[in-house]
Amino acid sequence: IAVMTVLLIVVGLTACGKSTAQDLQSNKWYPNQKGQSYKTQFNKKTMIIESPLMNVNANYSVSNTSGKEYLKVNTDDEKNQKLELTQISDGYKAKAINKPAKADDGLGSFE
């Protein structure tokens, strides 16, 4: 009975934690990419990157496959961009893992 109680508490506490999508939505972000940093906001389904020239609006989703988290992004210029998310001390590292994400008009890797 004691083991079952401990397991239920651990599972309950894990389930109560914020998801990555909720974490992205509840914080202000300034991703760093090649020495450039732009304010980025995450709403429920939209990622907004603010730059001096123009804002970029993209649809995004966060998924978890085999214990790894992925950020999937669609912009007007590049569809189906996929980035692997890794949590780091002060946020996330996003590694571009497919051609659309690595393309000239894609997001590329950033922290």
Side-chain angles (χ1 to χ4, degrees), residues 33-34 81 83 94-96 100-110:
Q33 181 182 49
K34 299 178 185 174
Q81 299 178 60
L83 301 101
K95 180 181 176 186
K102 294 177 182 178
D104 289 340
D105 292 332
L107 292 179
S109 298
F110 56 88

Side-chain angles (χ1 to χ4, degrees), residues 24-100:
L24 293 173
Q25 293 168 24
S26 64
N27 289 292
K28 293 180 183 177
W29 300 98
Y30 293 87
N32 185 354
Q33 181 182 49
K34 299 178 185 174
Q36 300 289 330
S37 183
Y38 302 109
K39 182 180 176 185
T40 303
Q41 301 176 70
F42 290 86
N43 297 325
K44 191 170 184 173
K45 295 181 181 180
T46 307
M47 174 182 178
I48 304 163
I49 304 168
E50 299 177 16
S51 75
L53 299 176
M54 69 175 172
N55 291 348
V56 175
N57 293 325
N59 292 323
Y60 83 95
S61 64
V62 176
S63 63
N64 187 317
T65 305
S66 301
K68 292 187 178 184
E69 289 193 295
Y70 297 96
L71 178 66
K72 296 178 184 177
V73 180
N74 290 310
T75 63
D76 289 339
D77 295 325
E78 287 293 337
K79 306 290 185 213
N80 301 315
Q81 299 178 60
K82 190 172 183 181
L83 301 101
E84 184 177 339
L85 291 176
T86 306
Q87 193 163 15
I88 56 176
S89 62
D90 59 347
Y92 296 90
K93 182 176 183 177
K95 180 181 176 186
I97 60 172
N98 68 355
K99 277 187 177 184

